[in-house]
Amino acid sequence: MMDFLHFIAENFNEFLTYTGFANATAGNLIMIAVGALFIWLAIKKDFEPLLLVPIGLGIILGNIPFRADAGLEIGLYEDNSVLNIFYQGVRQGWYPPLIFLGIGAMTDFSALLANPKLMLIGASAQFGIFGAYMFALLLGFEPNQAAGIAIIGGADGPTAIFLSSKLSPNLMGAIAVCAYSYMALVPLIQPPLMRLLTTKKERVIKMKPARQVSQTERILFPIVGLLLTTFLVPSGLPLLGMLFFGNLLKESGKTTRLAKTAGAALNDIVVMLLGLTVGCSTQASEFLTINTIYIFAIGAGAFIIATMSGVCFVKIMNLFLPKDKKLNPLIGNAGVSAVPMAARISNNLGLEYDRHNFLLMHAMGPNVAGVIGSAVAAGTLLGFLS
C-alpha cells in the first residue's frame, strides 16, 4: 500500500512539472493579455475582426506554457508539430500569394482604369516603405532586416510576410504582427493626419463621376499589368502574378466560379491559417525583445509617412490640374494598400464635411494602386537585397 501511494505521489509531482502553471513566465502572461486585447478590439471595437480574432487567439495559443524539453511536439517551433506544419505556409511564403489571388479575384480596378493618374497617388504612398527603411538602418538593423521591417509601411500584411520570410525570417513574427496590427488601426491613425493636412475647402472638393470602363479594358488590364510590372520587377512575380491571375478570373466573364472560390472559400481558409500561425509565432521568448519595440515604432512611423505622403501628393497634383478636375486630398490616404479599409476612411471623412460628397469609388483607384505599388516595392527590395 505504501509503495502504491509513493508511486502515485511521485508521478503526480512529475505531472505537475508538465503543467502550464509550473512553466509559466511573466512574458507568457503579458502576451496572453495582448492576445485578449486583440480579440477585444476585434469584437468590441470592430477593428478588422477577420484579422484580429485569429491573430489574437493565436497569440494566446502560442503562449500557453509547457515544458520545452519534454519532446511533446506541440509548440510552433517544434519540428513535426501540427502548428509547425501550418507555420510552413508563413515561413516558406505559401500563404501570401494565395491571399493575393483572393484579393485579385475580389478587386475591381475600374476606378483606376477610369482615371490612371490615380496610380501616382498609390505610388507616392510607398514613401512610407522607403522612409521606414532609412529609420531601420539608423537604428542598427542590417539592410536585409531593414527591408523586411520597412515593407510594413505598405499597409499590406501578406506582402510584409512574404518579404520578411525571404530577407529577415528571424524577425518575421514581430513584422507580421506589427503589419496586421497597424492595418487594423488604420481607422485611428489616418483621420487625424488627414484633418491636419487639409483645409475645410479642400475636404469638400467634389470630383467628377468616373467614366465607364469597358469589359475589354478590364480583361486586358491584368494581362498588360502583369507584363509591365513583372518585366520591371521579376522578383515580385509570386505576388503580382497571383494578383493579376485572380483579377483575370474575375473579369473574363467565363471563370466566375473560380473567382468566387478564390475570393471567398480559399481566401477565408488561408486568412484563418495565416492569422492563427502568425499569432502563435509570438512566443514570449521569441517576441519580447528590444527589436520588437523598434519594429513597432518604425511601423507607426511608416504608416504616418505613407498617409502624409499620399495626402500631400494630391495637394501638389492640384496645383497643376484645371479647376474642374481637381482631386479631393482626402483620397490621398487610400494610397496605402489596406483595401478597402483606407478607401472607406476617405469616404467617411468626406461625408463628415459634406453628406453628399461620396468619395469611395474615387478612393478605390489609389487604394488598389497601393496594392500593386507595395508588391512592386517588395519585389524591388527583394531584387536588390536577396
Side-chain angles (χ1 to χ4, degrees):
M1 185 66 178
M2 293 299 296
D3 289 341
F4 175 73
L5 293 175
H6 178 73
F7 172 80
I8 293 296
E10 186 176 291
N11 282 273
F12 181 71
N13 289 333
E14 179 69 13
F15 166 76
L16 291 178
T17 66
Y18 285 88
T19 65
F21 298 104
N23 293 280
T25 65
N28 293 136
L29 300 179
I30 291 171
M31 293 308 302
I32 288 172
V34 170
L37 175 64
F38 274 39
I39 295 173
W40 181 82
L41 289 172
I43 297 173
K44 188 70 175 179
K45 300 296 183 180
D46 199 30
F47 287 172
E48 287 300 304
L50 297 181
L51 294 176
L52 290 194
V53 168
I55 291 175
L57 189 64
I59 292 173
I60 295 173
L61 185 61
N63 282 279
I64 299 297
F66 60 91
R67 266 182 64 172
D69 61 349
L72 299 174
E73 294 184 354
I74 56 173
L76 184 83
Y77 295 105
E78 291 185 285
D79 292 338
N80 302 318
S81 73
V82 174
L83 290 176
N84 183 263
I85 293 170
F86 288 159
Y87 191 54
Q88 296 308 307
V90 177
R91 291 190 61 184
Q92 304 299 327
W94 308 335
Y95 293 152
L98 290 174
I99 289 180
F100 263 66
L101 172 65
I103 291 172
M106 292 186 289
T107 300
D108 185 353
F109 287 96
S110 297
L112 183 61
L113 292 172
N115 194 355
K117 64 176 174 285
L118 298 179
M119 176 70 80
L120 298 174
I121 303 173
S124 69
Q126 306 313 311
F127 280 113
I129 294 174
F130 297 102
Y133 183 70
M134 300 303 296
F135 282 130
L137 290 177
L138 290 173
L139 286 173
F141 288 98
E142 297 295 325
N144 282 20
Q145 295 176 325
I149 297 168
I151 204 67
I152 295 170
D156 193 326
T159 304
I161 291 172
F162 177 79
L163 189 63
S164 60
S165 71
K166 304 295 183 184
L167 296 180
S168 49
N170 60 315
L171 299 177
M172 186 167 52
I175 290 171
V177 173
C178 179
Y180 278 113
S181 299
Y182 284 127
M183 279 178 64
L185 293 175
V186 159
L188 291 181
I189 297 172
Q190 288 194 329
L193 296 172
M194 295 161 69
R195 291 189 181 96
L196 177 67
L197 296 172
T198 57
T199 64
K200 187 175 181 179
K201 183 179 179 181
E202 289 174 325
R203 295 174 203 145
V204 296
I205 292 176
K206 289 191 176 181
M207 299 171 61
K208 289 186 175 181
R211 69 175 179 86
Q212 290 293 317
V213 177
S214 68
Q215 185 181 16
T216 301
E217 289 177 280
R218 295 199 303 269
I219 292 173
L220 287 175
F221 175 74
I223 300 171
V224 175
L226 173 66
L227 293 174
L228 289 177
T229 56
T230 54
F231 267 68
L232 178 65
V233 189
S235 48
L237 183 60
L239 298 179
L240 293 165
M242 297 300 273
L243 175 72
F244 289 120
F245 173 45
N247 191 242
L248 183 60
L249 292 177
K250 174 181 182 294
E251 301 296 354
S252 70
K254 302 296 183 181
T255 53
T256 304
R257 178 177 168 183
L258 298 180
K260 287 182 177 179
T261 299
L266 178 61
N267 189 69
D268 290 345
I269 290 169
V270 176
V271 167
M272 281 191 294
L273 292 176
L274 185 145
L276 187 70
T277 51
V278 161
C280 287
S281 70
T282 63
Q283 287 185 11
S285 58
E286 304 282 337
F287 191 80
L288 292 179
T289 66
I290 189 66
N291 280 344
T292 299
I293 297 174
Y294 287 154
I295 289 169
F296 270 79
I298 295 169
F303 267 67
I304 291 170
I305 294 171
T307 301
M308 295 178 70
S309 298
V311 174
C312 291
F313 189 78
V314 176
K315 292 164 70 78
I316 293 171
M317 288 179 67
N318 281 342
L319 297 176
F320 303 96
L321 293 174
K323 186 175 181 180
D324 61 335
K325 294 185 178 179
K326 291 191 183 295
L327 306 175
N328 192 313
L330 292 180
I331 70 171
N333 73 295
V336 301
S337 182
V339 179
M341 181 169 34
R344 288 202 300 263
I345 293 170
S346 303
N347 187 63
N348 292 342
L349 208 58
L351 292 173
E352 185 179 316
Y353 292 94
D354 181 350
R355 61 190 181 91
H356 301 292
N357 194 12
F358 295 93
L359 297 173
L360 183 60
M361 290 310 298
H362 300 293
M364 282 302 298
N367 207 187
V368 297
V371 177
I372 300 171
S374 65
V376 169
T380 302
L381 291 170
L382 183 60
F384 273 104
L385 297 170
S386 63

